[in-house]
Structures are given as structure tokens and as C-alpha cells.
């Protein structure tokens, strides 16, 4: 009886072990997750308004892009033309283009525009973009053409304006044709010869009649009177005035300050310039824009302040007032 219990327990243990091994062999091993095929990494383009920046210092970010003032004709200008200078439209265009890097083209297509007097409303422009300032000076009858390769600015007539220009001469021609049609018929050669002979005969009769009336006796009193006047004139002594000595030219004193006049402050591409002209200058082309650090007649511009400018020459420093009504103040 005691030997039968261990044998039965060993039989049950062996059966349980066999069942466990069979179940382990029948179950499939866990499957590993599928590996996705390798995909090519595509570069994503930045958005159109993306502007790269770089860090300067600890809290400063600087955009790596040109400013609007550095892009062609997008720079801001503030222009003041002195009213004492009777400028033309061409003078104003050249003055506005100063310091912009662009210049007016040499073509003569726009001479009709550039030789016109500058309107009073255009003596003060700005602050405004340079492109718009040029269009304002030209007016709606002209188109602005910019050659960025040679940095030249040209004006051409707008299509509608060209038609209007041609309509004027056509109207004049039509009026001339109408006047010619209203004129009387031409005189024939035979009638012209007859009238000419009649007028010639009448002139000959008048000359003959005048010759018969004019006798030598009528001229005698006039001749006697003329001789009497000549005799009296000969009896008067002629006094010769001694020539005056030439007046000595007094040398003009040299001005103590600069030889140029300050007109005001103008703006070009967010930078302030001092507008100056030589004393006695009467043309807008003689006006110069002076930047801080530049010289004129030996005077170096040191500062541009509100209402004044400081110059330096040979150890001498001079502060000159700037007219407030000329140019912009920024």
C-alpha cells in the first residue's frame, strides 16, 4: 500500500509535464512587428514670408534680409525745393534722384515734360517712396520706365496721352482747311494785269500833279531858316568835360563762415542729408546733399541736429542754424 502512492504521484506528475510540453510546442511564437520600408526624406521649403535671423548678443535677433530702403526705388525720400529757385520738372527729378544710385536717362523723348515749370504743389514732397515721388512729378500722362541694369529712369508717354497729343494737331489742320475753303476765288491773270495798269496810271498822275505844285520859291524860306540855325550853332563854344577817373574797386570782404547757404534737411533712404547751395546760385542743379562726415569748401559737416548743423575747419568749429521750413526733420 505504501509503495503504490509514490508511483501514482509520479505518474500524475509525468502526465502534467507531458501536457505542458505539448501545449508549448503547439503555440506559435509571438510575431515581431512589421518593419516599414525605408522612405526618402524630403526637404521642406520654408514659407514665402520666412526671413532668416541671427542672434546678436543675448536678446537681439537681426533679420538677414535687405531693408525696403535698400531695394531699388522703394527708398523713402523727403524733398524740399527752395521757392527762390524757379525749377523745372527735370530739375526736380534730378534733385529727387540724388543719392539714390539712379539717374535720369539721356533720351529726349520726355523733353516736353522735363522743360515744364515745376508746379508749386511739388516744391515739397514727402515723406514718400521714391517710385511714387517720380510718378507724382511726371503726372498721369507719363509712364515710368526703370532700367535696373544701368540704373536709369526714363519717362514715356502713356497711350491715352499720345492720342490726345495727336488730336491737337489734327484739330489745327481741320481749322486751316476750313479757312482755306472760306477764302474767295483766286484772281485771274487778265484781271490782275488790268488792275495793276490802272493803279500804276493813277500813281503817275499823282506824281505829276505834285511836281507841278512844288516850285523852288516855296523852299526858299526853309533854306534861309536852316542856314540861320546852323550859324547860331557854330557860334556856341563847345565845352569838353574832363573825363572822370575810374572809381577804385573796393575788394569785397570774404565771409567769415562757409561760402554756401543752408537750405534744410532732406531724407534719402532713412538717412538725413543737409541741403546746401553756393551763395548766388540760381539753379536747382547747384544744390548738393551733404552727409555727415563730408566736406564742402573745406568745411566738414560733423552733426545734423534739430534746427542746427555743426561744421569744422582747421580747428574752428561753427554751428549754423538750419531753416525749419525747408526739408524734413527726423
Amino acid at each position: 500500500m505504501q509503495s503504490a502512492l509514490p508511483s501514482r504521484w509520479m505518474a500524475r506528475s509525468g502526465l502534467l509535464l507531458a501536457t505542458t510540453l505539448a501545449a508549448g510546442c503547439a503555440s506559435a511564437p509571438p510575431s515581431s512587428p512589421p518593419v516599414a520600408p525605408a522612405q526618402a526624406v524630403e526637404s521642406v521649403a520654408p514659407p514665402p514670408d520666412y526671413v532668416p535671423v541671427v542672434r546678436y548678443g543675448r536678446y537681439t535677433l537681426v533679420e538677414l534680409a535687405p531693408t525696403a530702403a535698400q531695394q531699388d526705388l522703394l527708398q523713402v525720400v523727403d524733398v524740399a525745393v527752395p521757392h527762390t529757385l524757379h525749377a523745372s520738372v527735370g530739375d526736380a527729378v534730378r534733385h529727387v534722384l540724388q543719392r539714390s544710385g539712379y539717374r535720369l536717362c539721356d533720351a529726349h523723348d520726355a523733353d516736353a515734360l522735363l522743360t515744364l515749370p515745376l508746379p508749386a504743389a511739388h516744391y515739397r514732397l514727402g515723406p514718400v517712396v521714391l517710385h511714387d515721388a517720380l510718378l507724382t512729378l511726371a503726372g498721369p500722362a507719363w509712364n515710368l520706365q526703370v532700367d535696373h541694369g544701368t540704373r536709369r529712369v526714363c519717362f514715356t508717354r502713356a497711350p491715352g496721352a499720345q492720342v490726345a497729343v495727336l488730336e491737337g494737331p489734327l484739330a489745327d489742320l481741320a481749322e486751316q482747311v476750313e479757312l482755306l475753303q472760306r477764302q474767295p476765288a483766286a484772281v485771274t491773270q487778265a484781271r490782275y494785269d488790268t488792275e495793276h495798269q490802272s493803279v500804276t496810271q493813277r500813281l503817275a498822275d499823282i506824281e505829276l500833279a505834285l511836281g507841278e505844285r512844288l516850285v523852288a520859291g516855296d523852299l526858299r524860306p526853309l533854306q534861309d531858316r536852316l542856314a540861320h540855325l546852323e550859324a547860331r550853332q557854330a557860334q556856341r563854344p563847345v565845352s569838353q568835360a574832363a573825363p572822370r577817373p575810374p572809381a577804385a574797386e573796393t575788394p569785397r570782404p570774404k565771409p567769415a563762415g562757409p561760402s554756401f547757404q543752408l537750405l534744410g534737411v532732406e531724407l534719402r533712404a532713412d538717412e538725413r542729408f543737409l541741403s546746401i547751395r553756393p551763395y548766388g546760385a540760381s539753379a536747382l542743379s547747384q544744390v548738393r546733399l551733404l552727409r555727415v562726415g563730408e566736406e564742402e569748401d573745406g568745411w566738414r559737416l560733423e552733426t545734423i541736429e534739430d534746427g542746427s548743423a555743426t561744421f569744422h575747419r582747421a580747428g574752428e568749429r561753427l554751428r549754423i542754424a538750419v531753416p525749419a521750413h525747408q526739408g524734413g526733420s527726423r
Side-chain angles (χ1 to χ4, degrees), residues 257-258 260-266 272-276 288-294 296 299-313 316-324 326 328:
F260 51 85
Q261 178 185 3
L262 275 59
L263 302 179
V265 179
E266 296 190 12
R272 303 172 71 191
F273 290 86
L274 187 64
S275 176
I276 63 173
R288 183 187 174 192
L289 300 181
L290 204 64
R291 176 191 279 120
V292 173
E294 295 180 342
E296 179 69 18
W299 290 92
R300 182 177 181 272
L301 178 61
E302 288 190 341
T303 60
I304 301 177
E305 302 175 357
D306 293 338
S308 65
T310 305
F311 291 87
H312 181 270
R313 184 181 72 172
E316 180 183 1
R317 182 170 283 98
L318 181 64
R319 183 185 298 273
I320 306 177
V322 179
Q326 300 282 359

Side-chain angles (χ1 to χ4, degrees), residues 131-145:
H131 182 272
D132 295 340
L134 295 174
L135 289 177
T136 302
L137 292 173
W142 296 84
N143 291 334
L144 176 63
Q145 292 184 349

